[in-house]
Amino acid sequence: MKEEKIIVPANGYFMLFMFFVLFFGSIATIIALKTPWPGITIFLSLVMAFGFIMVQPNGSRVLLLFGKYVGTVKKNGFYWVNPFYTKKKISLRASNFDSERLKVNDKLGNPVMISTILVWRVQNTYKAAFDVDNYENFVRVQTDAAVRKLASMYPYDNFADEGVDEDITLRSSVNEVSNALEKEIDERLSIAGIEVLEARIGYLAYAQEIANAMLKRQQATAIVAARHKIVEGAVSMVEMAIEELNKKQVVNLDEERKAAMVSNLMVVLCGDKDASPVVNTGTLSH
């Protein structure tokens, strides 16, 4: 037997009625007939009492007879089985697992801190009970191994300025990374009869030793991108200003005056601080 076998044992309420009949009937017989022989029936009824089991909703009982797998009871209710069966409880409820924060290297070799949140449940009680030593510990260990492998497959973020431009990153590609993680963990846990309901990244950050450097790098990248947009807008505004002045013939500027005007406008538009205007009350030459 290498596969799960679902069985439905005898009705527990009927067997409980039989237990009371045998137990109290034997006591009454001893009292009435003054003979000890019904004591054997009392002993058998007490042994019979060890066969009662109760299966909760989304619970199960794996039954063994002297080391041989007999079957699994998954239907909830009150039952009676062979008193000599070994009865092992295995929950079929969904369970959450929040892994520890692991320090691993991403695809580019940068150390990152990462953890995962896993939702799982037992699907095959035979595999969970007999194919692995401890299926709960198996889930923890294999999840950590899958997270380490996943982190090494993708970079934390894109570094386009360094010629590294990945389609999938740990930080921005949440859905793609979660799907890859779920598939990886599901393949590892299938040997234990575990079904993965959901797997996603719970925590993600650079390791402490490079966190400050990477923060400065991100800030510098953001500043450069902002400056790029500012310069583009400033050039467009200067070009428009010169075109409008020439079009309406407000003032005729030679190339030298145009260059001075462009310089002044670029300083005003691209500066970090507000410009302090200087009013010229003389001629253009003074």
Side-chain angles (χ1 to χ4, degrees):
M1 178 67 67
K2 294 185 179 181
E3 294 295 332
E4 183 183 63
K5 178 182 178 182
I6 306 300
I7 62 173
V8 179
N11 187 285
Y13 297 103
F14 174 76
M15 297 305 295
L16 182 62
F17 173 75
M18 296 298 297
F19 166 77
F20 285 132
V21 170
L22 292 174
F23 183 76
F24 292 106
S26 299
I27 294 176
T29 302
I30 292 175
I31 296 174
L33 301 179
K34 307 296 183 178
T35 177
W37 291 108
I40 298 176
T41 309
I42 295 177
F43 173 77
L44 293 177
S45 62
L46 292 176
V47 174
M48 173 183 173
F50 289 97
F52 292 106
I53 62 172
M54 186 177 296
V55 181
Q56 303 289 345
N58 286 325
S60 68
R61 290 291 187 97
V62 177
L63 306 178
L64 294 90
L65 180 61
F66 304 121
K68 181 180 179 181
Y69 175 67
V70 177
T72 301
V73 183
K74 286 187 174 181
K75 187 177 180 181
N76 62 291
F78 183 55
Y79 301 103
W80 182 87
V81 297
N82 189 328
F84 296 101
Y85 283 172
T86 300
K87 313 164 192 71
K88 182 177 181 180
K89 286 185 178 181
I90 293 182
S91 175
L92 303 179
R93 298 180 179 91
S95 300
N96 281 322
F97 171 60
D98 188 1
S99 69
E100 297 181 357
R101 295 179 182 179
L102 306 174
K103 180 188 289 188
V104 297
N105 293 332
D106 67 356
K107 185 177 181 180
L108 302 180
N110 297 318
V112 298
M113 300 297 295
I114 188 172
S115 70
T116 184
I117 297 176
L118 177 67
V119 183
W120 60 277
R121 67 182 176 190
V122 175
Q123 187 179 40
N124 189 310
T125 58
Y126 179 87
K127 291 183 177 181
F130 307 116
D131 284 357
V132 293
D133 184 42
N134 185 324
Y135 68 90
E136 293 181 344
N137 183 64
F138 187 81
V139 170
R140 291 191 292 268
V141 173
Q142 292 301 321
T143 299
D144 290 346
V147 171
R148 291 180 182 275
K149 180 180 178 180
L150 178 83
S152 65
M153 293 171 58
Y154 306 107
Y156 180 92
D157 204 354
N158 272 321
F159 298 101
D161 54 338
E162 296 182 359
V164 180
D165 189 8
E166 297 283 345
D167 294 332
I168 300 178
T169 63
L170 296 174
R171 185 182 66 85
S172 59
S173 306
V174 179
N175 293 332
E176 292 81 358
V177 172
S178 297
N179 292 335
L181 178 62
E182 182 175 333
K183 181 179 179 181
E184 179 68 23
I185 297 177
D186 186 65
E187 291 178 356
R188 292 173 177 267
L189 298 185
S190 61
I191 187 177
I194 305 296
E195 178 186 10
V196 176
L197 302 178
E198 182 185 6
R200 56 188 175 86
I201 300 298
Y203 178 85
L204 180 64
Y206 280 114
Q208 185 176 2
E209 57 266 27
I210 67 167
N212 291 333
M214 287 301 178
L215 178 60
K216 292 179 181 179
R217 189 186 190 286
Q218 291 175 353
Q219 291 174 343
T221 302
I223 292 173
V224 171
R227 287 293 181 185
H228 182 73
K229 291 294 183 182
I230 291 174
V231 171
E232 283 185 352
V235 171
S236 177
M237 294 173 66
V238 170
E239 182 182 5
M240 181 179 64
I242 294 176
E243 288 181 356
E244 290 295 323
L245 289 173
N246 292 332
K247 180 179 179 181
K248 295 182 180 180
Q249 298 182 350
V250 176
V251 61
N252 292 322
L253 300 175
D254 57 16
E255 294 300 322
E256 183 179 354
R257 297 300 180 186
K258 286 182 180 180
M261 179 181 176
V262 170
S263 176
N264 292 334
L265 287 176
M266 291 297 293
V267 170
V268 171
L269 295 175
C270 297
D272 290 334
K273 300 179 180 179
D274 294 336
S276 298
V278 177
V279 179
N280 188 357
T281 60
T283 65
L284 291 176
S285 301
H286 296 86

